[in-house]
Amino acid sequence: MDDLGRYIRDVPDFPRKGILFKDITPLLNDAAALERAVDWMSRQAPRPGAVVAIESRGFVFGTALALRWRVPLVLARKFGKLPGRTVRQVYSLEYGEDTLELQADALESGRQVVIVDDLLATGGTALATVRLVEQLEAKVLAVIFLVELIGLGGRERLEGYAVESLLRYEVHE
Ligand code: AMP
């Protein structure tokens, strides 16, 4: 599976100086590689009651997993994008903060969900999504990523949850 790493492109100083951006588009551009990544993800958790996908690259993998498992796809979106009543979670970024939302009726109490995103860095985004799911009294079975950056504290922040990642890279800040 590690050879899927050759479909991840390092882009230095993007979107800002000092950030080594992990570009997953080469993997998305190769149907066989994308299929293998989704296959791997689908083996990391039992079939859940729903998939919660994080905006925006998490939507790609979330859609594939929801189709594979034939379960509802729920979108965790940036503030102001979802109509109707929502629950919100503010989280901090390197500079400033952001807000993620779920529709309040997206998950009923007790539903078991898998959360998915492309990449785990500091874990702030994923932890905010965990909190949103828990605000609706649903249960997090696992949090699944294509890429994990080791050394930024993401896995530690998600302690107590099952965290799975296919490709891991050490980061030295
Ligand atoms: P974090 O909340 O720090 O774990 O950041 C995770 C979110 O930011 C994910 O949705 C990623 O898509 C994006 N992200 C953070 N760092 C990078 C990076 N070095 N390369 C690509 N995407 C990143």
Side-chain angles (χ1 to χ4, degrees):
M1 269 300 165
D2 274 359
D3 65 311
L4 283 178
R6 67 195 167 90
Y7 296 96
I8 309 296
R9 181 165 51 196
D10 281 354
V11 185
D13 298 322
F14 181 86
R16 280 189 311 277
K17 195 153 178 58
I19 306 270
L20 181 61
F21 187 80
K22 295 285 183 186
D23 179 17
I24 66 160
T25 55
L27 184 130
L28 303 182
N29 294 161
D30 187 297
L34 177 58
E35 185 171 42
R36 282 172 60 208
V38 171
D39 281 345
W40 180 87
M41 287 179 165
S42 71
R43 293 195 300 271
Q44 302 315 302
R47 180 173 178 266
V51 173
V52 175
I54 303 178
E55 185 168 354
S56 57
R57 277 161 292 176
F59 292 175
V60 175
F61 300 99
T63 304
L65 286 172
L67 286 171
R68 177 126 347 167
W69 280 322
R70 302 221 47 95
V71 298
L73 173 65
V74 173
L75 304 181
R77 297 214 61 182
K78 301 278 168 61
F79 178 77
K81 306 275 190 186
L82 288 170
R85 204 160 66 80
T86 60
V87 288
R88 284 174 201 168
Q89 195 72 42
V90 179
Y91 63 103
S92 28
L93 300 169
E94 204 176 347
Y95 303 102
E97 50 187 35
D98 216 337
T99 304
L100 276 176
E101 291 184 307
L102 282 185
Q103 283 171 318
D105 60 357
L107 298 168
E108 76 273 22
S109 166
R111 178 140 325 205
Q112 302 204 310
V113 311
V114 163
I115 295 172
V116 66
D117 201 2
D118 66 326
L119 184 140
L120 174 64
T122 66
T125 311
L127 188 60
T129 307
V130 166
R131 298 276 181 257
L132 285 173
V133 167
E134 291 178 343
Q135 275 191 59
L136 297 179
E137 294 174 351
K139 184 176 170 348
V140 176
L141 278 183
V143 194
I144 301 177
F145 303 92
L146 179 69
V147 176
E148 175 177 355
L149 301 183
I150 310 224
L152 300 178
R155 186 170 282 274
E156 293 74 12
R157 273 176 108 171
L158 293 170
E159 201 188 333
Y161 298 93
V163 174
E164 311 293 345
S165 59
L166 174 55
L167 301 164
R168 304 198 183 98
Y169 302 93
E170 296 273 354
V171 177
H172 307 284
E173 281 197 300

